[in-house]
Amino acid sequence: MQINISGHHIELTPAIKNYVNSKLDRLERHHDRITSTNVILSVDKLRQKAEASIHVSGKDFFADCESEDLYAAIDLLTDKLDRQLIKYKEKMRNHHR
């Protein structure tokens, strides 16, 4: 899985990059055909925002979250993406002929 992390109005430290990578590695447990992931971290006054788009063999998923803490926003983001991947995988399994 290729992960691209960018920041708007925020300096990306190695700690933040490692945290995002460790959280997104959890997504590979549910779906092994994730090809690319784009993560955008931004700050807007007191709100920390995390956005991500994932490309999975023919399907794109998008999620964004806001929180007062950047790490909490990343946690919420990965939870949303995790739920979307599980739902997609169940749909593919149930509709398979």
Side-chain angles (χ1 to χ4, degrees):
M1 172 170 60
Q2 179 185 1
I3 300 174
N4 297 325
I5 303 171
S6 62
H8 292 285
H9 306 295
I10 188 171
E11 181 181 344
L12 293 177
T13 62
I16 293 173
K17 288 181 181 181
N18 289 337
Y19 190 75
V20 171
N21 285 329
S22 67
K23 287 296 184 174
L24 291 178
D25 284 341
R26 189 178 87 182
L27 299 177
E28 286 187 322
R29 289 187 297 173
H30 297 292
H31 209 289
D32 59 345
R33 294 188 180 175
I34 299 173
T35 56
S36 65
T37 304
N38 296 320
V39 179
I40 301 171
L41 305 173
S42 62
V43 176
D44 184 33
K45 296 188 180 181
L46 298 176
R47 303 297 297 176
Q48 312 287 329
K49 187 174 182 180
E51 300 176 358
S53 62
I54 293 181
H55 182 74
V56 177
S57 63
K59 180 91 170 154
D60 289 326
F61 297 99
F62 178 79
D64 63 338
C65 292
E66 289 185 5
S67 180
E68 294 178 2
D69 181 28
L70 183 62
Y71 291 100
I74 294 169
D75 289 339
L76 292 172
L77 177 76
T78 55
D79 289 340
K80 279 186 179 182
L81 289 171
D82 198 27
R83 285 191 305 266
Q84 287 180 7
L85 283 175
I86 290 171
K87 185 176 178 181
Y88 176 70
K89 190 172 180 180
E90 288 294 321
K91 184 187 275 188
M92 290 292 106
R93 185 180 303 151
N94 291 339
H95 292 285
H96 193 293
R97 293 181 182 196

